[in-house]
Amino acid sequence: MKSKLLLFFLIFCYFISYTQTFVDVDAVGSNDGTSWENAYTNLEDAILNSSEGDEIWIAEGLYFAPSTDNDVNVYFDIIHDISIYGGFAGTETSIDARDVEANPVILTGDQAQDDIDGNFDANKSDNNLHIMWIQDTISNATIIDGLTFKGGNTQNADGSGNGRRGGAILTYGSPIINNCTFTNNFGHFGGSIYPRGSDADGTVITNCSFMQNQGGFGAAMYILAETDIVDCLFENNTAFGDGSRGGALYYNNVPGNIANSIFRNNESTQSSAGAIHFDGDDDNTEIVELTISDCVFQGNI
């Protein structure tokens, strides 16, 4: 009897902890996220109504970062551990049936949809400063998987604080980010991703592509937390402006690991490190190690 009760309890906990919520910009049902037919049409609603441990499944389409009264300092706000998966056609019953390449899910910070690819100056007044903000309550139990981030645009060198950090994702927690693409984002510190602070230690980036992003320091990522990067592509990213450093990555006095990744045709236009800029401990009292293994560097300037 006790074993049957235990089994029932475990099954109950499983279904409570891993509820699927559905998002499809083209859904025409009741907009409550309970099925593909009744999917939320707005990703923000799915996140706001989520609970710890939920999975959010997103069908292909274009999804706008939150916008309120033309305020660009709003974003998808991740406050508790959830999993967000893109790449669905909108009929699947298993996560293994999705196809990320065939069903792109694009999260955009370009509210007016007037950006020009490769141009980081024109038509940016409507762009969100960050597309996603991950709070310091987040652990590796949060998975961001199968999404494209495009058009996040922070303040430039004249800005301050978080307004200049992480064009696509600013994270104070330690998520796992898989199978994502980051393109045409700008961040003065971290064109696409900025892991920051001790609660972000343990951030993991795997099988992601960073292409044609721009920043002052770390055109793809500015890293101020211990971060592992595995099986990633960094291509055609540019660190631009006075003192710019790290055409792809800028590590600021934190350890890390980079493995099986490709750095191709990245550039720092003003100062140093076409691919990776690594700052060690400023006062030389502690050895800080960055391990780079089985990587390719080609055509960086």
Side-chain angles (χ1 to χ4, degrees), residues 215-216 239-245 269-271:
F240 180 83
D242 291 343
S244 60
R245 299 175 183 178
T269 62
Q270 297 283 322
S271 184

Side-chain angles (χ1 to χ4, degrees), residues 246-270:
L249 304 178
Y250 186 106
Y251 275 82
N252 188 349
N253 193 31
V254 290
N257 174 61
I258 306 171
N260 302 313
S261 295
I262 298 172
F263 296 81
R264 181 185 296 131
N265 299 334
N266 304 288
E267 180 177 4
S268 177
T269 62
Q270 297 283 322

Side-chain angles (χ1 to χ4, degrees), residues 73 129-130 133 154-155 160-166 170 172 194 196:
N73 194 24
L129 298 182
H130 329 281
W133 186 308
T154 76
Q155 299 166 354
S160 62
N162 286 327
R164 299 188 296 177
R165 298 167 179 158
L170 174 58
Y172 281 85
Y194 188 148
R196 178 178 174 83

Side-chain angles (χ1 to χ4, degrees), residues 205-253:
I205 317 289
T206 63
N207 198 36
C208 291
S209 296
F210 298 80
M211 298 178 293
Q212 200 169 293
N213 302 286
Q214 189 180 98
F217 298 83
M221 295 178 63
Y222 185 103
I223 299 170
L224 194 57
E226 187 170 350
T227 300
D228 285 347
I229 297 171
V230 182
D231 295 325
C232 290
L233 170 66
F234 299 88
E235 187 169 34
N236 295 323
N237 302 287
T238 304
F240 180 83
D242 291 343
S244 60
R245 299 175 183 178
L249 304 178
Y250 186 106
Y251 275 82
N252 188 349
N253 193 31

Side-chain angles (χ1 to χ4, degrees), residues 24-195:
D24 186 345
V25 68
D26 297 318
V28 294
S30 59
N31 195 36
D32 60 12
T34 56
S35 66
W36 284 124
E37 181 183 3
N38 297 314
Y40 288 115
T41 57
N42 187 326
L43 176 57
E44 183 184 15
D45 291 337
I47 293 172
L48 288 174
N49 290 301
S50 68
S51 299
E52 188 93 10
D54 282 358
E55 290 183 356
I56 297 175
W57 292 12
I58 313 175
E60 61 86 21
L62 182 68
Y63 296 86
F64 289 86
S67 178
T68 305
D69 297 328
N70 297 316
D71 181 5
V72 297
N73 194 24
V74 289
Y75 31 78
F76 295 115
D77 191 6
I78 311 301
I79 62 172
H80 49 234
D81 283 320
I82 56 175
S83 297
I84 302 177
Y85 295 100
F88 295 92
T91 58
E92 295 87 347
T93 58
S94 166
I95 197 167
D96 295 331
R98 68 183 179 136
D99 187 329
V100 172
E101 292 187 7
N103 303 304
V105 172
I106 301 171
L107 309 190
T108 181
D110 176 17
Q111 298 293 330
Q113 287 296 285
D114 57 359
D115 283 1
I116 303 167
D117 284 356
N119 186 323
F120 295 92
D121 297 314
N123 307 330
K124 296 299 183 181
S125 62
D126 61 285
N127 289 59
N128 296 68
L129 298 182
H130 329 281
I131 296 173
M132 182 176 288
W133 186 308
I134 298 175
Q135 301 289 345
D136 59 7
T137 52
I138 296 306
S139 72
N140 281 169
T142 285
I143 299 174
I144 311 296
D145 192 309
L147 309 177
T148 293
F149 292 81
K150 184 176 183 180
N153 193 81
T154 76
Q155 299 166 354
N156 59 24
D158 296 328
S160 62
N162 286 327
R164 299 188 296 177
R165 298 167 179 158
I169 299 177
L170 174 58
T171 178
Y172 281 85
S174 55
I176 296 175
I177 302 175
N178 294 328
N179 305 314
C180 290
T181 297
F182 298 85
T183 184
N184 282 277
N185 301 288
F186 171 85
H188 181 67
F189 296 111
S192 289
I193 304 179
Y194 188 148

